Amino acid sequence: MKYILLMLGVLISLAGTPALAEMSVKLEGGWDGKKVPEGQQCSLQGGNGSTPPMRLSNIPKGAKWIYVEYNDRDYQPLSSRGGHGIIGYPVKGPSAHLYPVQGMKPKLKGGAEVIKKARSTGKYSSQGYLPPCSGGRNSRYFAVIKAIDLNGKVLEKIKVNIGRY
Protein backbone atom coordinates (compact mmCIF):
# COMPACT_ATOMS: atom_id res chain seq x y z
CA MET A 1 0.00 0.00 0.00
CA LYS A 2 2.88 2.37 0.83
CA TYR A 3 4.32 1.76 -2.63
CA ILE A 4 1.00 2.57 -4.32
CA LEU A 5 0.64 5.79 -2.33
CA LEU A 6 4.24 6.76 -3.11
CA MET A 7 3.72 6.16 -6.86
CA LEU A 8 0.43 8.07 -6.78
CA GLY A 9 2.24 11.02 -5.17
CA VAL A 10 4.95 10.93 -7.83
CA LEU A 11 2.36 10.87 -10.63
CA ILE A 12 0.43 13.78 -9.13
CA SER A 13 3.60 15.86 -8.74
CA LEU A 14 4.63 15.14 -12.34
CA ALA A 15 1.19 16.03 -13.66
CA GLY A 16 1.64 19.57 -12.34
CA THR A 17 5.00 20.02 -14.06
CA PRO A 18 4.77 22.05 -17.27
CA ALA A 19 6.13 20.25 -20.33
CA LEU A 20 9.28 21.76 -21.77
CA ALA A 21 8.92 22.75 -25.40
CA GLU A 22 11.52 21.20 -27.66
CA MET A 23 13.51 23.32 -30.07
CA SER A 24 12.06 23.13 -33.57
CA VAL A 25 13.24 24.11 -37.04
CA LYS A 26 11.49 25.10 -40.26
CA LEU A 27 13.37 25.23 -43.57
CA GLU A 28 12.77 28.31 -45.72
CA GLY A 29 13.82 29.78 -49.06
CA GLY A 30 12.68 26.90 -51.27
CA TRP A 31 14.34 24.18 -49.17
CA ASP A 32 11.78 21.48 -48.39
CA GLY A 33 13.92 18.70 -46.91
CA LYS A 34 13.22 16.49 -49.92
CA LYS A 35 15.24 17.98 -52.79
CA VAL A 36 18.12 20.46 -52.84
CA PRO A 37 16.83 23.53 -54.73
CA GLU A 38 18.21 24.21 -58.20
CA GLY A 39 21.47 26.19 -58.04
CA GLN A 40 22.19 25.35 -54.39
CA GLN A 41 24.81 22.72 -55.27
CA CYS A 42 28.57 23.41 -55.22
CA SER A 43 30.32 25.37 -57.96
CA LEU A 44 31.92 22.16 -59.31
CA GLN A 45 28.38 21.05 -60.18
CA GLY A 46 27.40 24.40 -61.75
CA GLY A 47 25.81 25.92 -58.64
CA ASN A 48 26.48 28.76 -56.26
CA GLY A 49 25.15 27.18 -53.07
CA SER A 50 24.44 28.76 -49.71
CA THR A 51 23.27 27.22 -46.46
CA PRO A 52 19.51 26.72 -46.25
CA PRO A 53 17.72 29.51 -44.36
CA MET A 54 16.00 28.20 -41.24
CA ARG A 55 13.58 29.49 -38.62
CA LEU A 56 14.19 28.16 -35.09
CA SER A 57 11.64 28.18 -32.27
CA ASN A 58 11.84 27.24 -28.59
CA ILE A 59 15.59 27.82 -28.34
CA PRO A 60 16.60 26.82 -24.80
CA LYS A 61 17.14 29.60 -22.28
CA GLY A 62 20.85 30.36 -21.94
CA ALA A 63 21.73 29.59 -25.57
CA LYS A 64 24.15 32.14 -27.01
CA TRP A 65 25.04 30.32 -30.22
CA ILE A 66 23.43 27.97 -32.68
CA TYR A 67 25.90 25.66 -34.41
CA VAL A 68 24.71 23.96 -37.59
CA GLU A 69 26.65 20.88 -38.68
CA TYR A 70 26.10 20.01 -42.36
CA ASN A 71 26.53 16.39 -43.48
CA ASP A 72 26.06 14.00 -46.42
CA ARG A 73 24.52 10.78 -45.08
CA ASP A 74 25.62 8.81 -48.18
CA TYR A 75 29.28 9.80 -48.36
CA GLN A 76 30.97 8.33 -45.28
CA PRO A 77 33.95 10.74 -45.02
CA LEU A 78 31.53 13.71 -44.77
CA SER A 79 28.59 11.95 -43.10
CA SER A 80 28.97 13.18 -39.51
CA ARG A 81 30.32 15.89 -37.18
CA GLY A 82 29.94 18.63 -39.80
CA GLY A 83 31.61 16.93 -42.75
CA HIS A 84 30.32 19.75 -44.98
CA GLY A 85 31.25 22.37 -42.37
CA ILE A 86 29.90 23.86 -39.15
CA ILE A 87 28.44 27.37 -39.15
CA GLY A 88 27.76 29.27 -35.92
CA TYR A 89 25.11 31.96 -35.47
CA PRO A 90 24.91 34.21 -32.39
CA VAL A 91 21.38 34.16 -30.90
CA LYS A 92 19.34 36.01 -28.28
CA GLY A 93 15.99 34.81 -27.08
CA PRO A 94 13.68 31.90 -27.84
CA SER A 95 13.60 32.19 -31.66
CA ALA A 96 16.00 32.98 -34.47
CA HIS A 97 16.26 33.24 -38.23
CA LEU A 98 19.37 31.48 -39.54
CA TYR A 99 20.00 33.37 -42.76
CA PRO A 100 21.77 31.72 -45.69
CA VAL A 101 25.54 32.10 -45.87
CA GLN A 102 27.56 31.61 -49.02
CA GLY A 103 29.32 28.29 -49.46
CA MET A 104 33.09 27.94 -49.85
CA LYS A 105 33.81 31.23 -47.97
CA PRO A 106 35.87 31.59 -44.77
CA LYS A 107 34.38 34.98 -43.83
CA LEU A 108 30.63 35.34 -43.42
CA LYS A 109 28.19 38.22 -43.09
CA GLY A 110 25.95 39.19 -40.20
CA GLY A 111 27.88 37.75 -37.28
CA ALA A 112 27.83 34.14 -38.51
CA GLU A 113 31.15 32.32 -38.23
CA VAL A 114 32.78 29.27 -39.72
CA ILE A 115 33.25 27.12 -36.63
CA LYS A 116 34.82 24.30 -38.61
CA LYS A 117 35.48 24.19 -42.34
CA ALA A 118 34.31 21.26 -44.47
CA ARG A 119 36.53 18.18 -44.35
CA SER A 120 36.50 17.87 -48.13
CA THR A 121 39.85 17.76 -49.95
CA GLY A 122 41.36 18.32 -53.38
CA LYS A 123 39.14 20.09 -55.89
CA TYR A 124 36.26 19.80 -53.36
CA SER A 125 38.19 21.66 -50.65
CA SER A 126 36.28 24.48 -48.97
CA GLN A 127 37.26 27.15 -46.44
CA GLY A 128 33.75 27.02 -44.95
CA TYR A 129 30.47 25.34 -45.81
CA LEU A 130 30.61 22.92 -48.76
CA PRO A 131 27.25 22.98 -50.59
CA PRO A 132 25.83 19.65 -51.81
CA CYS A 133 28.39 18.31 -54.27
CA SER A 134 27.52 14.67 -55.02
CA GLY A 135 27.02 15.21 -58.74
CA GLY A 136 23.30 14.53 -58.55
CA ARG A 137 23.66 10.95 -57.27
CA ASN A 138 20.69 11.44 -54.93
CA SER A 139 22.82 11.80 -51.78
CA ARG A 140 20.85 12.67 -48.64
CA TYR A 141 21.98 15.87 -46.93
CA PHE A 142 21.06 16.78 -43.37
CA ALA A 143 21.98 19.22 -40.61
CA VAL A 144 22.41 18.81 -36.87
CA ILE A 145 21.42 22.01 -35.06
CA LYS A 146 22.87 22.59 -31.59
CA ALA A 147 21.97 25.27 -29.05
CA ILE A 148 25.21 26.20 -27.24
CA ASP A 149 25.69 28.23 -24.04
CA LEU A 150 28.56 30.64 -23.25
CA ASN A 151 30.65 27.80 -21.83
CA GLY A 152 30.31 25.68 -24.98
CA LYS A 153 27.83 23.27 -23.42
CA VAL A 154 25.23 21.78 -25.79
CA LEU A 155 21.83 22.60 -24.31
CA GLU A 156 19.77 20.85 -26.98
CA LYS A 157 20.19 19.43 -30.47
CA ILE A 158 17.88 18.45 -33.29
CA LYS A 159 18.37 17.04 -36.77
CA VAL A 160 16.71 18.15 -40.01
CA ASN A 161 16.87 16.66 -43.51
CA ILE A 162 17.77 19.40 -45.97
CA GLY A 163 17.32 17.45 -49.21
CA ARG A 164 18.68 15.07 -51.81
CA TYR A 165 21.07 15.96 -54.58
Side-chain angles (χ1 to χ4, degrees):
M1 186 65 160
K2 273 186 177 179
Y3 178 76
I4 293 172
L5 289 174
L6 177 63
M7 291 309 296
L8 185 58
V10 168
L11 289 173
I12 289 170
S13 68
L14 288 176
T17 305
L20 296 174
E22 291 184 9
M23 187 167 60
S24 63
V25 61
K26 181 179 186 291
L27 295 172
E28 299 181 331
W31 292 81
D32 62 6
K34 296 176 184 156
K35 184 177 179 188
V36 172
E38 186 67 35
Q40 292 301 327
Q41 68 274 19
C42 69
S43 58
L44 291 170
Q45 308 294 315
N48 191 24
S50 296
T51 60
M54 301 179 203
R55 177 82 47 197
L56 294 181
S57 304
N58 300 318
I59 297 171
K61 188 174 184 171
K64 300 299 179 194
W65 284 90
I66 296 294
Y67 286 4
V68 184
E69 300 177 355
Y70 296 94
N71 302 287
D72 176 348
R73 182 172 283 119
D74 298 304
Y75 182 62
Q76 196 281 324
L78 304 180
S79 66
S80 65
R81 299 181 327 275
H84 276 254
I86 302 173
I87 304 298
Y89 294 85
V91 294
K92 292 180 184 175
S95 64
H97 177 253
L98 307 184
Y99 50 88
V101 297
Q102 187 66 45
M104 313 297 281
K105 307 284 185 192
K107 298 207 186 276
L108 308 175
K109 297 187 256 178
E113 295 181 11
V114 174
I115 303 301
K116 190 174 177 185
K117 69 180 190 163
R119 292 193 306 269
S120 50
T121 59
K123 66 181 181 178
Y124 296 96
S125 182
S126 172
Q127 292 302 304
Y129 164 70
L130 174 66
C133 210
S134 63
R137 287 185 288 237
N138 222 17
S139 284
R140 298 168 291 171
Y141 293 89
F142 69 98
V144 177
I145 302 159
K146 296 179 178 180
I148 310 288
D149 72 9
L150 275 178
N151 298 317
K153 179 182 175 191
V154 176
L155 302 174
E156 189 172 347
K157 70 179 179 178
I158 57 174
K159 185 166 70 169
V160 63
N161 291 324
I162 59 175
R164 286 181 178 260
Y165 172 69

